[in-house]
């Protein structure tokens, strides 16, 4: 590919050139670039370029392109040239790239803007040499050759690691000498139809006049398939080029690939790893007695099999999985290399790749790993190899390098990658999740992820404009904080920072010993909401009559300012805790956590006890500040939420709002469930009861005007069930209402929290999409990325350390409250086990999954047996067994339970 700098003549014009000067300079730059192609005939050749100036019609750059003697004329308007050549948004769009855009069907639509175009580069020399080592004559390779010889388009389908890419690469390499080859990998969202045309504009015309377009990973970007095949059709019909397609994809994606289009008739050829592994073993010279061991290790992954064969040749022994992990992480000792290898592995598990620009300060470490053969570079992006290899590296990093705590969980890294990767990558990934459940199962009904995200993008642009005009959002702290959260999740970090300046200046919490956050100057506008809340509480009291509220507080007793400031405490904790990394201020977070510790009532709630959603808001804020049940403030608050009203808590089959029609019971229950689950409380019977009640109230929280309630109910349902199916239709309804709201805004004077509605729902929708992406990624790629640690390569026995308790007599009797606490403990163990079984008991059963299922079932049998023996006369040995099992299964979420000689109420 020629080396050139784009738009030299245009850039020399200075700012805001006239139409004549701009198009004349652009013409010169295009002519200069085409001249650099060394006078050799290209597959698509730019014959000429002229400028036309027409008053009242528009000024244009006119380009004539030909192939096989058939010229085609394209017109590029002045505004397109100006958008491409001025400002910061060109993204490497050179004159020839602009022509490639212009040659598409219906180019330069109303939403067009210049974006990076992938250069359709083939794999590196090193990668092709590696693929050549896997080149064998198989049934699959024979079928592909026959179909291509017959002039058909072909897609090679198969499982991860079966050798699809190697098969296609070796066939394409053999055709290079005579045919032109254009190579796209749709895992890069920048690879699209423009990439095909650009490659044909740049590469020399083939000797045969035939061109093979390689499209790897068709399933990775379903959105671009129509455009790709429209492009191929146009190259055939308008330019007379003889173009064939050779692609790879998941087997299950086959029906989606056809798309009902006659021009997209792809002949499917199945590639299987097992026979290729067999041929590799035959050619290796290894004793047949070792073949079964290598097969079990490789699990039909030809890349792992080849590595195992190589290691056997070096060591004279069959390697273990631990040996493979060590080999794939060899000589990686520095923290920066370990971090970037882990991040690339997390992406590789999901068949994503890291763009060079994403590496930032880790770029040097990335290049060192590439030079050492631990990762590969393709067209400006880095990848690790097969999914199994990525899994092994990720597992190794999580166990031996403490990767989760140092560099975040795998799913967090994937989400950050999607956010940083830009709109096209996010859309491609969401489109794939909308269509596929797993590599073996297509989705029958869409999850509406893509359409929801597109709505969010539009909503984000609207909120960004609003934040620029009024970052205080009408001096409404709630609206400002929720808008900032949504904008941050939509990657508008600059808008977050604009709002942060106002929020941080508006609230003071410099001295934790002085109490709750104080507004600087007058109270904020949302204080008036709390005045109305008190009025709503009074109406509720009037309905109840002489009987007091369950919490024992009447509206007349409410300290409105104290309630308001506790609510703001939760807001500020969430705001600072979820700040963009570049703007996160740990000192502020620590001060707010200390404020929460001081503000918390000794019973665990945050004032007032009558209104549990205030406590839930603070818990959610603490969770965003990365605290969970192992922190005493979070633990005590969660315990209070779960405590029965009769015992001084707030739970009575569900959670009452305590505020009448303001923030109703449905929204309060959803909010409390979300707070508990985010804090790490496993699903317990009380929570299941509350969620069942919430689902029974669906007709209430889906009512128009209650979009805040609906968003909260959807989030809590996702957290409770761990499944996205139950949210599909409601998610569709919610984003449709938000679209309508954007077009014709309404202000419902009777609806509480009306000023919060759009920013709150936007923040919730962004979070819901992220959670669905996380949940569906687990299904899409099996039990590889999960919230817990993956099983080690060599199973190890987990030691159970008995809990040291104060001595008590063997014959001591449990009091009623103590017995109920131990019974709830057993229920917590059972709930945790049930949740783990539900997450893993699916269609994909790897050996690691089977081991976890077997272990969890054994724990369930054990807790059932212990529960059957638990009564007020339970001896110390039985309680110690329950305690040990609880600590093993529940970890930090396991509470300190009362022993017979500690007569305190277990709920205090």
């Amino acid at each position: 590919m020629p080396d050139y700098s784009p738009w030299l003549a245009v850039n020399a014009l200075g700012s805001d050139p006239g139409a004549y000067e701009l198009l004349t300079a652009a013409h010169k730059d295009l002519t200069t670039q085409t001249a650099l192609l060394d006078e050799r005939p290209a597959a698509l050749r730019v014959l000429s370029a002229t400028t036309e100036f027409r008053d009242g019609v528009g000024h244009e750059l006119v380009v004539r392109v030909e192939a096989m003697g058939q010229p085609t004329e394209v017109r590029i308007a002045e505004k397109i040239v100006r958008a491409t050549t001025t400002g910061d948004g060109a993204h490497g769009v050179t004159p020839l790239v602009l022509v490639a855009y212009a040659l598409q069907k219906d180019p330069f639509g109303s939403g067009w803007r210049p974006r990076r175009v992938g250069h359709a580069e083939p794999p590196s020399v090193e990668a092709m040499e590696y693929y050549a080592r896997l080149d064998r004559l198989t049934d699959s390779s024979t079928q592909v050759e026959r179909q291509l010889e017959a002039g058909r388009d072909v897609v090679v389908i198969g499982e991860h690691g079966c050798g699809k890419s190697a098969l296609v690469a070796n066939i394409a390499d053999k055709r290079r000498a005579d045919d032109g080859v254009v190579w796209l990998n749709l895992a890069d969202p920048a690879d699209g139809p423009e990439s095909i045309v650009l490659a044909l504009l740049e590469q020399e015309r083939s000797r045969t006049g035939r061109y093979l377009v390689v499209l790897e990973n068709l399933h990775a970007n379903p959105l671009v398939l129509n455009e790709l095949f429209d492009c191929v059709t146009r190259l055939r019909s308008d330019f007379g080029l003889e173009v064939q397609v050779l692609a790879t994809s998941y087997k299950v994606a086959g029906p989606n690939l056809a798309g009902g289009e006659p021009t997209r008739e792809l002949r499917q050829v199945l590639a299987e790893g097992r026979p290729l592994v067999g041929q590799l073993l035959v050619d290796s010279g290894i004793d047949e007695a070792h073949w079964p061991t290598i097969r079990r290790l490789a699990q039909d992954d030809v890349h792992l099999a080849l590595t195992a064969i190589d290691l056997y040749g070096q060591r004279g022994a069959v390697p273990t999985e631990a040996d493979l992990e060590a080999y794939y992480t060899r000589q990686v000792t520095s923290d920066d290399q370990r971090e970037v290898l882990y991040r690339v592995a997390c992406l590789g598990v999901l068949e994503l790749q890291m763009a060079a620009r994403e590496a930032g300060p880790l770029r040097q470490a990335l290049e060192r790993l590439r030079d050492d053969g631990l990762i590969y570079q393709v067209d400006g992006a880095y990848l690790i190899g097969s999914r199994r290899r990525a899994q092994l590296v990720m597992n190794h990093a999580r166990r031996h390098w403490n990767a989760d705590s140092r560099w975040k969980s795998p799913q967090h890294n994937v989400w950050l990658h999607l956010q940083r990767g830009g709109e096209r990558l996010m859309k491609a990934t969401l489109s794939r999740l909308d269509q596929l459940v797993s590599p073996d199962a297509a989705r029958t009904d869409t999850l509406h992820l893509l359409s929801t995200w597109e709505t969010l993008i539009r909503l984000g642009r609207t909120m960004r404009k609003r934040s620029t005009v009024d970052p205080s959002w009408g001096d409404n702290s709630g609206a400002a904080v929720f808008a900032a959260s949504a904008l941050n999740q939509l990657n508008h970090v600059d808008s977050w920072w604009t709002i942060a300046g106002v929020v941080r200046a508006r609230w003071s919490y410099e001295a934790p010993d002085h109490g709750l956050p104080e507004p600087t100057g007058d109270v904020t506008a949302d204080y008036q909401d709390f005045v109305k809340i008190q009025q709503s509480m009074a109406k509720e009291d009037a309905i109840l009559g002489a009987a007091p509220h369950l919490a024992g507080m009447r509206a007349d007793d409410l300290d409105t300012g104290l309630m308001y400031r506790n609510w703001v405490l939760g807001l500020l904790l969430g705001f600072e805790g979820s700040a963009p990394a570049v703007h996160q201020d740990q000192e502020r977070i620590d001060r707010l956590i200390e404020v929460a510790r001081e503000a918390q009532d000794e019973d665990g709630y945050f004032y007032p006890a009558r209104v549990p959603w205030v406590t839930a808001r603070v818990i959610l804020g603490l969770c965003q500040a990365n605290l969970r049940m192992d922190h005493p403030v979070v633990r005590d608050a969660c315990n209070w939420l779960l405590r029965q009203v009769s015992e001084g808590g707030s739970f009575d089959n569900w959670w009452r709002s305590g505020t009448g029609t303001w923030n109703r019971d449905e929204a309060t229950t959803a909010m409390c469930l979300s707070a508990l689950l985010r804090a790490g409380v496993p699903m317990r019977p009380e929570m299941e009861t509350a969620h069942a009640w919430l689902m029974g109230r669906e007709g209430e929280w889906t009512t128009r005007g209650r979009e805040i309630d609906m968003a909260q109910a959807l989030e809590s349902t996702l957290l409770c069930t761990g499944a996205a199916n139950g949210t599909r239709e409601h998610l569709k309804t919610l984003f449709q209402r938000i679209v309508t709201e954007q077009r014709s805004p309404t202000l419902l004077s009777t609806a509480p929290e009306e000023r919060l509605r759009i920013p709150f729902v936007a923040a919730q929708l962004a979070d819901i999409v992220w959670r669905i992406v996380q949940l569906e990624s687990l299904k899409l790629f099996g039990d590889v990325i999960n919230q817990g640690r993956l099983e080690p390569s060599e199973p190890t026995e987990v030691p159970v350390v008995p809990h040291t308790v104060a001595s008590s007599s063997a014959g001591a009797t449990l009091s009623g409250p103590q017995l109920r606490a131990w019974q709830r403990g057993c229920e917590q163990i059972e709930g945790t086990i049930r949740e783990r079984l539900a997450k893993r008991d699916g269609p994909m059963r790897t050996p690691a999954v089977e081991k976890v299922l077997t272990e969890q079932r054994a724990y369930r049998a054990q807790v059932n047996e212990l529960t059957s023996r638990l009564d007020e006369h339970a001896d110390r040995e039985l309680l110690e067994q329950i305690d040990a099992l609880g600590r093993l299964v529940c970890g930090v979420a396991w509470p300190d339970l009362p022993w017979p000689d500690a007569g305190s109420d277990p709920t205090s």
Side-chain angles (χ1 to χ4, degrees):
M1 185 183 303
D3 184 21
Y4 44 74
S5 299
W7 309 115
L8 290 176
V10 170
N11 291 339
L13 294 176
S15 61
D16 197 23
Y20 177 82
E21 291 82 5
L22 176 66
L23 289 181
T24 301
H27 171 269
K28 180 178 179 181
D29 285 328
L30 176 59
T31 304
T32 300
Q33 185 172 344
T34 54
L36 289 174
L37 297 175
D38 299 330
E39 301 298 327
R40 53 187 174 81
L44 286 177
R45 183 183 176 195
V46 177
L47 290 178
S48 64
T50 59
T51 55
E52 288 190 7
F53 301 93
R54 297 180 292 174
D55 293 335
V57 177
H59 312 307
E60 297 172 317
L61 182 65
V62 183
V63 184
R64 295 178 72 243
V65 181
E66 69 91 20
M68 311 302 292
Q70 300 186 45
T72 294
E73 183 179 275
V74 294
R75 292 175 173 269
I76 306 172
E78 175 211 343
K79 67 177 183 178
I80 298 298
V81 176
R82 193 175 297 278
T84 304
T85 58
T86 59
D88 300 324
H91 297 290
V93 177
T94 66
L96 216 53
V97 171
L98 189 58
V99 173
Y101 268 117
L103 285 168
Q104 302 307 312
K105 179 182 178 182
D106 302 323
F108 310 127
S110 59
W112 185 88
R113 62 183 184 277
R115 297 185 297 186
R116 180 177 70 90
V117 171
H119 278 276
E121 294 182 351
S124 65
V125 174
E126 293 79 11
M128 292 303 297
E129 289 174 349
Y130 171 78
Y131 286 143
R133 296 186 61 201
L134 295 169
D135 189 16
R136 299 291 188 281
L137 182 63
T138 63
D139 289 343
S140 300
S141 64
T142 301
Q143 288 185 56
V144 172
E145 292 280 14
R146 286 175 179 170
Q147 296 290 351
L148 290 175
E149 288 298 325
R152 300 187 179 99
D153 295 333
V154 180
V155 57
V156 181
I157 57 176
E159 306 297 332
H160 296 285
C162 69
K164 301 186 298 292
S165 295
L167 188 157
V168 166
N170 286 315
I171 289 176
D173 194 47
K174 294 169 187 174
R175 290 174 170 250
R176 270 189 188 176
D178 299 315
D179 299 349
V181 176
V182 177
W183 211 302
L184 275 69
N185 185 345
L186 298 192
D188 181 354
D191 276 6
E194 299 85 6
S195 304
I196 298 175
V197 175
L198 179 62
L200 295 175
L201 286 167
E202 291 180 332
Q203 70 176 240
E204 188 174 1
R205 184 170 297 170
S206 73
R207 290 196 298 173
T208 61
R210 297 192 299 263
Y211 297 89
L212 183 67
V213 175
V214 177
L215 302 175
E216 285 206 74
N217 300 312
L218 284 186
H219 57 271
N221 192 357
L223 285 176
V224 79
L225 295 187
N226 284 338
E227 295 174 17
L228 282 171
F229 285 95
D230 284 346
C231 177
V232 170
T233 299
R234 190 172 187 213
L235 290 171
R236 291 167 176 164
S237 61
D238 293 5
F239 293 95
L241 292 177
E242 189 176 341
V243 179
Q244 283 184 278
V245 173
L246 178 57
T248 67
S249 185
Y250 288 160
K251 179 180 178 180
V252 71
N256 294 332
L257 299 180
E261 300 286 341
T263 56
R264 209 195 295 177
E265 189 177 346
L266 292 165
R267 298 302 175 99
Q268 298 185 13
V269 175
L270 178 64
E272 297 180 283
R274 187 171 183 79
L276 183 52
V277 170
Q279 290 195 36
L280 293 173
L281 288 170
V282 169
D283 296 343
S284 69
I286 295 175
D287 192 299
E288 289 187 33
H290 298 307
W291 290 6
T293 306
I294 293 178
R295 280 192 178 277
R296 284 194 298 272
L297 177 66
Q299 297 179 23
D300 296 339
D301 185 310
V302 299
H303 308 286
L304 263 64
L306 189 59
T307 300
I309 290 169
D310 289 344
L311 290 177
Y312 183 93
Q314 296 171 16
R315 306 173 185 180
V318 176
T320 63
E321 192 170 282
D323 293 330
L324 291 181
E325 286 186 14
Y327 180 75
Y328 291 141
T329 58
R330 62 190 182 277
Q331 300 175 348
V332 180
T333 55
S334 67
D335 282 348
D336 56 348
Q337 288 185 36
R338 286 180 171 181
E339 177 183 353
V340 77
L341 184 60
Y342 169 67
R343 294 189 188 279
V344 174
C346 291
L347 300 180
V349 170
L350 301 186
E351 293 186 320
L352 299 170
Q353 51 195 24
M354 178 180 283
R357 64 183 183 281
E358 190 179 339
L362 298 173
R363 179 71 177 269
Q364 188 174 357
L366 202 60
E367 293 174 350
R368 175 66 184 272
L369 292 172
R370 178 201 60 196
D371 295 342
D372 290 343
L374 296 176
I375 59 175
Y376 309 97
Q377 184 174 4
V378 177
D379 192 15
Y382 296 86
L383 57 158
I384 201 165
S386 75
R387 193 173 73 96
R388 273 291 309 285
R389 174 172 177 169
Q391 179 183 346
L392 290 172
V393 172
M394 186 183 75
N395 290 355
H396 182 89
R398 298 179 79 189
R399 283 197 304 275
H400 300 293
W401 301 341
N402 196 23
D404 278 33
S405 61
R406 298 178 69 187
W407 309 307
K408 304 292 185 183
S409 67
Q411 57 267 37
H412 185 86
N413 276 282
V414 169
W415 181 248
L416 286 178
H417 169 74
L418 294 179
Q419 285 185 307
R420 294 167 180 168
E423 190 174 332
R424 284 186 294 181
L425 177 61
M426 180 69 80
K427 285 184 173 183
T429 304
L430 297 182
S431 175
R432 175 169 43 160
L433 292 175
D434 269 339
Q435 294 190 16
L436 301 177
V437 177
S438 73
D440 304 311
R443 199 178 300 284
T444 55
D445 296 306
T446 178
L447 292 173
H448 304 295
L449 289 177
L450 179 60
S451 50
T452 301
W453 189 258
E454 289 175 334
T455 300
L456 276 171
I457 293 297
R458 294 194 296 271
L459 190 57
R461 291 171 185 155
T462 301
M463 290 196 299
R464 181 174 183 172
K465 291 178 182 176
R466 166 74 186 271
S467 300
T468 302
V469 174
D470 177 18
S472 75
W473 281 73
D475 197 28
N476 187 303
S477 294
V481 165
F482 292 128
S485 174
L487 289 165
N488 181 30
Q489 294 187 75
L490 295 171
N491 215 25
H492 296 302
V493 177
D494 55 341
S495 295
W496 185 96
W497 179 243
T498 300
I499 295 173
V502 174
V503 172
R504 288 175 172 176
R506 196 67 177 84
W507 287 95
S508 172
Y509 43 90
E510 298 298 321
D513 56 325
H514 291 171
L516 290 161
E518 290 277 1
T520 303
D522 294 335
V523 294
T524 58
D526 37 8
Y527 177 77
Q528 293 305 313
D529 289 343
F530 288 83
V531 174
K532 294 177 182 178
I533 285 172
Q534 187 173 28
Q535 296 168 359
S536 179
M537 293 168 69
K539 291 178 182 178
E540 184 177 53
D541 289 347
I543 294 172
L544 291 173
H549 189 273
L550 291 175
M553 170 189 280
R554 297 189 64 85
D556 294 342
D557 301 325
L558 180 70
D559 183 335
T560 307
L562 185 58
M563 177 183 176
Y564 161 65
R565 291 164 60 205
N566 270 290
W567 179 76
V568 168
L569 170 62
L571 280 185
L572 294 176
L573 276 163
F575 179 75
E576 297 293 353
S578 62
V582 68
H583 296 308
Q584 197 159 81
D585 187 334
Q586 191 59 46
E587 288 187 10
R588 289 180 181 272
I589 295 171
D590 291 342
R591 285 201 301 268
L592 286 165
I593 292 171
E594 181 60 22
V595 169
R597 189 184 68 80
E598 293 289 337
Q600 188 174 35
D601 188 89
E602 61 181 11
D603 283 343
Y605 66 82
F606 289 85
Y607 183 88
R610 173 169 169 167
V611 186
W613 53 261
V614 172
T615 297
R617 173 56 58 199
V618 178
I619 293 173
L620 289 168
L622 290 165
C623 291
Q624 288 177 288
N626 288 321
L627 301 185
R628 294 296 184 271
M629 278 290 285
D630 55 338
H631 191 279
V633 175
V634 178
R635 184 184 65 239
D636 292 349
C638 289
N639 285 341
W640 179 80
L641 281 183
L642 286 167
R643 197 175 304 150
Q644 293 286 337
V645 170
S646 60
E647 299 175 358
S650 60
F651 183 74
D652 188 33
N653 291 326
W654 64 89
W655 286 272
R656 271 87 172 155
S657 74
T659 51
T661 57
W662 191 292
N663 215 357
R664 301 174 189 244
D665 290 1
E666 294 83 14
T668 301
T669 296
M671 195 173 176
C672 290
L673 285 170
S674 295
L676 290 166
L677 289 161
R678 282 178 181 248
V681 178
M683 203 67 180
R684 292 171 52 163
E686 302 98 312
M687 296 159 68
E688 290 175 352
T689 298
H691 184 250
W693 176 85
L694 182 63
M695 292 298 98
R697 302 285 292 175
E698 180 180 340
E700 292 293 324
W701 50 262
T702 55
T703 302
R704 183 172 291 278
R706 293 185 62 181
E707 286 74 29
I708 287 179
D709 298 10
M710 185 187 290
Q712 289 178 322
L714 290 182
E715 183 194 31
S716 66
T717 296
L718 276 175
L719 291 167
C720 286
T721 64
N725 289 340
T727 66
R728 182 170 54 241
E729 291 306 317
H730 293 317
L731 188 61
K732 179 181 178 181
T733 300
L734 187 57
F735 85 72
Q736 285 176 340
R737 289 186 188 174
I738 295 301
V739 170
T740 302
E741 179 71 19
Q742 279 186 276
R743 292 171 181 164
S744 51
T746 58
L747 187 64
L748 305 177
S749 58
T750 59
E753 299 182 310
E754 179 61 23
R755 289 181 293 275
L756 294 180
R757 184 153 58 113
I758 293 298
F760 181 87
V761 172
Q764 289 290 98
L765 275 176
D767 194 63
I768 287 169
V769 170
W770 142 238
R771 290 190 179 280
I772 294 178
V773 168
Q774 179 183 358
L775 289 169
E776 294 303 315
S777 295
L778 299 181
K779 296 177 185 177
L780 186 57
F781 301 101
D783 194 54
V784 176
I785 292 182
N786 55 65
Q787 295 178 356
R789 297 275 177 174
L790 293 172
E791 292 301 306
S793 305
E794 300 293 332
T796 57
E797 192 167 329
V798 180
V800 179
V801 181
H803 177 54
T804 303
V805 298
S807 60
S808 74
S809 60
T813 301
L814 287 170
S815 67
Q818 288 173 339
L819 176 59
R820 287 195 297 273
W822 283 94
Q823 289 169 337
R824 286 198 298 266
C826 290
E827 291 168 355
Q828 179 177 339
I829 297 171
E830 167 64 25
T832 304
I833 294 169
R834 183 169 58 249
E835 183 180 9
R836 290 176 180 171
L837 288 172
K839 285 184 177 180
R840 290 171 171 80
D841 196 7
M844 301 186 68
R845 294 287 188 86
T846 64
V849 173
E850 288 290 358
K851 181 178 184 298
V852 172
L853 290 173
T854 301
E855 180 183 72
Q856 295 300 318
R857 288 172 185 141
Y859 290 155
R860 183 167 61 183
Q862 186 178 352
V863 73
N864 288 340
E865 190 273 332
L866 294 172
T867 302
S868 67
R869 293 161 47 200
L870 180 62
D871 58 26
E872 65 271 20
H873 302 297
D875 59 26
R876 178 190 180 86
E877 182 180 356
L878 174 63
L879 298 180
E880 287 182 342
Q881 289 175 353
I882 294 173
D883 189 62
L885 182 62
R887 293 179 183 280
L888 176 63
V889 172
C890 303
V892 295
W894 181 249
D896 292 328
L897 295 176
W899 296 83
D901 64 338
S904 60
D905 186 336
T907 60
S908 43

